[in-house]
């Protein structure tokens, strides 16, 4: 029996690619009526829904092939008919055979159609006429469907099933994340070069909005290290108004990308580029905080500027700030591991088990809330020294009390004596308007995939949600926000049940803004710097360089270029350079396809060369392929096997036409084999001198014999002329 295994995917509504396995048959067997010996019904137009079992082709039940001819010419023969020869191509194409046309495979060794009047099955009906209005109606119906509404407003999916147990889990997780985000928000405001209250302004509105639009329960939206450092690099010291406008414009870009489903742009940021960028950003962020650890104060936020400034001002280092900062880093790193401590052995009694569970939960809570714990202890210590009229530490200073006003983002700003218009503000922000949202989306989707537990992540919905979060957050004076991996891990470990956990996080931040901002005055800057350094040190993925080297060494180049450029220049310029290097590698691969040339002998004894191109023909590869084929062909006829060529453009077609001219001038036959109809039309479009092509083995044999005969005749004529 002949068996066929379905390959990968359906290429079109009437074409399925198969890999064939021939077993249990001998060559030369064919029924007198022209039907295949292996499968008597194969060469007729079959009602495949009824006759798959007869043909042994159960795996061919594809929705797009309700009726179809199950055998097709295949380089001179039907693979269901064992009497035909194998071909050069590794796959079989099963098609509908055209409208009313017969099966072309079982009509001897020719490739032409045969009479199918004996067929008892009707031919294919003509295709239905396509109307663009039908597509419009379908799209409008899809946009207004219940399924689309549930996808774009995920709260409608989980809210009807919300339970008391879910609410309790969300309360615990939300408060835990809130205790984490408050010190981080104040610290990230410093990273962005903004007053501390702007970090808190960025930490509540996005939480509320994501509850409605977010599709990943673990994602905790708020200020992040990468968004903060990108904001700092593009503010140019011009004030918070520019940061708020950047949040608004970033949200607009993210929203447009989500509506237009442009998430594929993120695919251009490869793994090595992402590793280089993240590691460089972590080093830059940590570097900007080192001066606060040492108690130094000087302008500059870039990597080289900070180290140059520290070298120049190292003599101004404050001892107690340094001691406090280093101690906080050590304590934070130790508390990070506290949750992994195993408490005793397995308890025998219920009482011991409860005690052991309580201690484990207490250690976990201490480890999770380590940031707020360290900051509160340091603030209490600073307050104690203040009562003694001593200030050994540099303090955060006054934090503006109260909630921010709800107002549109600033579309103009006055800095010094100059008033910036919206156009000037946008021009000043420059590439950050596109780089910040792109990297925010990348960070948020990466977070979503980490905690999705194998479930599908709707990237489009995440872009829409993040865009709405930034747009609405800009109305409460927020800087750009995204999902933070560290807070997402806290959310996940806290057992959050739904995105509603963000409600309690935002509520806690609002309480802090309303009632606790006077106490933030005593928070030492060294403790906030320690919180940032302890968080970003785990963002450095330098350990990934080793597996990249083991896997594919050339991928080290874009990683190193991105890493170095981010440190030496700017973060957005560094990632653009890394992407550019990656694209150069891709373009080089498309410009230099593999051209493999082998020799073969036909049944008629004709020796010829077979050239195979392993990918599509695009304009960068046109001249290279032309030179490679001219060089590799020698003097024998050349058969160009194009079954791997899936696409070609005008420049490639011109190159093929010139190649045909070259071979014609040399008097050397050039035959194209297995050319797809669409590719053949592209080649014919430039009107080459003589485009000889075939799609079956029998015709190839015939063309080779004809070329051999013409060559023999030419040789005899030349011999006769020389003799005379």
């Amino acid at each position: 029996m002949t068996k066929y295994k379905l390959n990968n995917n359906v290429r079109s509504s009437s074409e399925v690619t198969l890999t064939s396995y021939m077993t249990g048959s001998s060559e030369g067997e064919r029924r007198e009526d022209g039907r295949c010996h292996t499968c008597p019904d194969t060469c007729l137009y079959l009602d495949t829904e009824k006759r798959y079992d007869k043909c042994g082709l159960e795996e061919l039940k594809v929705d797009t092939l309700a009726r179809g001819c199950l055998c097709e010419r295949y380089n001179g023969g039907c693979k269901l008919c064992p009497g035909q020869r194998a071909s050069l191509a590794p796959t079989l194409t099963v098609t509908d055979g055209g409208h009313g046309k017969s099966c072309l495979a079982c009509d001897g060794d020719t490739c032409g159609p045969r009479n199918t009047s004996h067929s008892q099955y009707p031919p294919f009906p003509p295709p239905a006429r396509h109307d663009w209005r039908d597509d419009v109606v379908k799209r409008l119906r899809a946009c207004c469907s219940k399924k689309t509404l549930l996808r774009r407003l995920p709260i409608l999916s989980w809210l009807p099933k919300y339970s008391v147990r879910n609410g309790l889990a969300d309360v615990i997780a939300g408060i835990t994340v809130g205790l984490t985000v408050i010190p981080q928000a104040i610290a990230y405001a410093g990273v962005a070069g903004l007053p501390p209250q702007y970090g808190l302004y960025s930490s509540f509105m996005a939480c509320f909005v994501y509850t409605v639009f977010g599709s990943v329960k673990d994602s905790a939206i708020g200020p992040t290290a990468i968004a903060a450092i990108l904001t700092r690099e593009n503010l140019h010291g011009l004030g918070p108004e520019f940061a708020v406008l950047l949040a608004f414009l970033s949200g607009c870009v993210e929203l447009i990308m989500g509506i237009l489903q442009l998430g594929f742009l993120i695919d251009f940021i490869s793994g090595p580029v992402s590793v280089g960028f993240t590691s460089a950003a972590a080093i830059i962020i940590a570097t900007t905080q080192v001066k606060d650890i040492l108690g130094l104060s000087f302008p500059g936020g870039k990597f080289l500027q900070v180290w140059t400034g520290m070298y120049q001002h190292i003599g101004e280092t404050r001892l107690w700030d340094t001691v406090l900062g280093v101690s906080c880093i050590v304590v934070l790193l130790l508390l990070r591991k506290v949750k992994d401590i195993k408490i005793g052995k397995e308890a025998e009694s219920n009482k011991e088990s409860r005690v052991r569970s309580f201690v484990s939960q207490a250690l976990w809570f201490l480890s999770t809330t380590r940031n707020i714990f360290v900051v509160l202890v340091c603030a209490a210590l600073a307050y104690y020294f203040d009562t003694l009229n001593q200030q050994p530490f540099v303090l955060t200073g006054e934090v503006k009390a109260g909630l921010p006003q709800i107002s549109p983002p600033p579309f103009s700003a006055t800095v010094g004596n100059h008033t910036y218009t919206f156009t000037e503000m946008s021009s000043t922000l420059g590439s950050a308007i596109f780089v910040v949202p792109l990297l925010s989306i990348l960070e948020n989707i990466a977070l979503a995939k980490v905690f999705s537990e194998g479930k599908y992540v709707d990237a489009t919905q995440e872009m829409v949600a993040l865009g709405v979060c930034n747009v609405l957050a800009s109305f409460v004076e927020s800087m750009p926000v995204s999902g933070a991996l560290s807070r997402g891990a806290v959310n996940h470990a806290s057992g959050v049940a739904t995105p509603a956990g963000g409600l309690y996080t935002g509520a806690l931040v609002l309480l802090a803004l309303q009632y606790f901002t006077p106490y933030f005055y005593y928070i030492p800057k060294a403790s906030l710097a320690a919180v940032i350094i302890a968080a970003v040190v785990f963002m450095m993925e330098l350990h990934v360089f080793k597996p990249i080297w083991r896997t594919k060494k050339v991928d080290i180049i874009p990683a190193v270029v991105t890493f170095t450029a981010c440190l030496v220049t700017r973060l957005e310029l560094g990632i653009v350079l890394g992407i550019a290097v990656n694209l150069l590698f891709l373009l080089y691969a498309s410009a230099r396809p593999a051209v493999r040339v082998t020799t073969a002998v036909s049944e008629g004894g004709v020796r010829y060369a077979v050239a195979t191109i392993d990918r599509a023909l695009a304009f960068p590869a046109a001249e290279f392929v032309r030179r490679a084929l001219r060089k590799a062909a020698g003097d024998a006829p050349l058969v160009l096997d194009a079954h791997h060529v899936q696409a070609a453009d005008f420049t490639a077609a011109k190159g093929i036409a010139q190649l045909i001219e070259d071979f014609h001038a040399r008097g050397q036959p050039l035959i194209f084999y297995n050319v797809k109809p669409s590719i053949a039309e592209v080649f014919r479009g430039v009107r080459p001198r003589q485009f000889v092509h075939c799609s079956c083995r029998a015709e190839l044999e015939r063309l080779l014999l004809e070329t051999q005969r013409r060559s023999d005749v030419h040789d005899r004529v030349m011999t006769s002329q020389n003799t005379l």
Side-chain angles (χ1 to χ4, degrees), residues 201-215:
Y201 294 165
S202 309
S203 304
F204 66 90
M205 179 60 78
C207 296
F208 298 150
V209 175
Y210 193 80
T211 301
V212 178
F213 294 95
S215 61

Side-chain angles (χ1 to χ4, degrees), residues 481-642:
V481 296
S482 181
L485 187 59
S486 59
R487 295 195 299 272
V490 172
N491 222 358
H492 182 76
S494 302
V496 67
T498 67
L503 294 176
Y504 307 102
T505 300
L508 191 61
V509 174
L510 289 176
L511 288 174
L513 275 169
Q514 185 65 34
Y515 299 108
F516 302 126
T517 47
Y519 304 103
F520 295 156
Y521 175 91
Y522 296 100
I523 298 176
K525 285 188 175 182
S527 64
L528 294 176
V531 169
I532 297 300
I533 292 175
V536 301
V537 70
F538 296 98
M539 288 173 53
M540 288 185 283
E541 301 180 87
L542 301 180
H543 61 281
V544 181
F545 282 84
K546 186 175 181 180
I548 292 177
W549 179 264
R550 289 199 307 264
T551 305
K552 190 175 182 182
K553 295 179 176 57
V554 73
D555 284 343
I556 287 288
I557 297 176
V560 171
V561 168
T562 305
F563 181 79
T564 306
C566 286
L567 290 181
V568 176
T569 58
R570 297 166 58 89
L571 283 171
E572 62 268 28
L573 181 58
I575 196 168
V576 168
L577 288 175
I579 294 173
V581 171
N582 254 353
L583 292 179
L584 284 177
F585 288 161
L586 292 176
L587 291 175
Y588 180 81
S590 66
R592 294 295 181 268
V595 180
R596 297 179 177 87
V597 180
T598 59
T599 58
V601 180
S602 69
E603 284 186 348
V606 180
R607 182 177 296 276
Y608 61 97
V610 180
T612 304
I613 303 173
D614 69 341
R615 66 195 66 179
L617 281 176
F619 64 91
E623 189 61 29
F624 171 78
V625 170
R626 179 189 174 194
R627 292 198 309 268
L629 292 176
R630 288 182 59 189
K631 181 178 179 181
D635 298 328
L638 177 64
V639 175
L640 180 56
D641 190 348

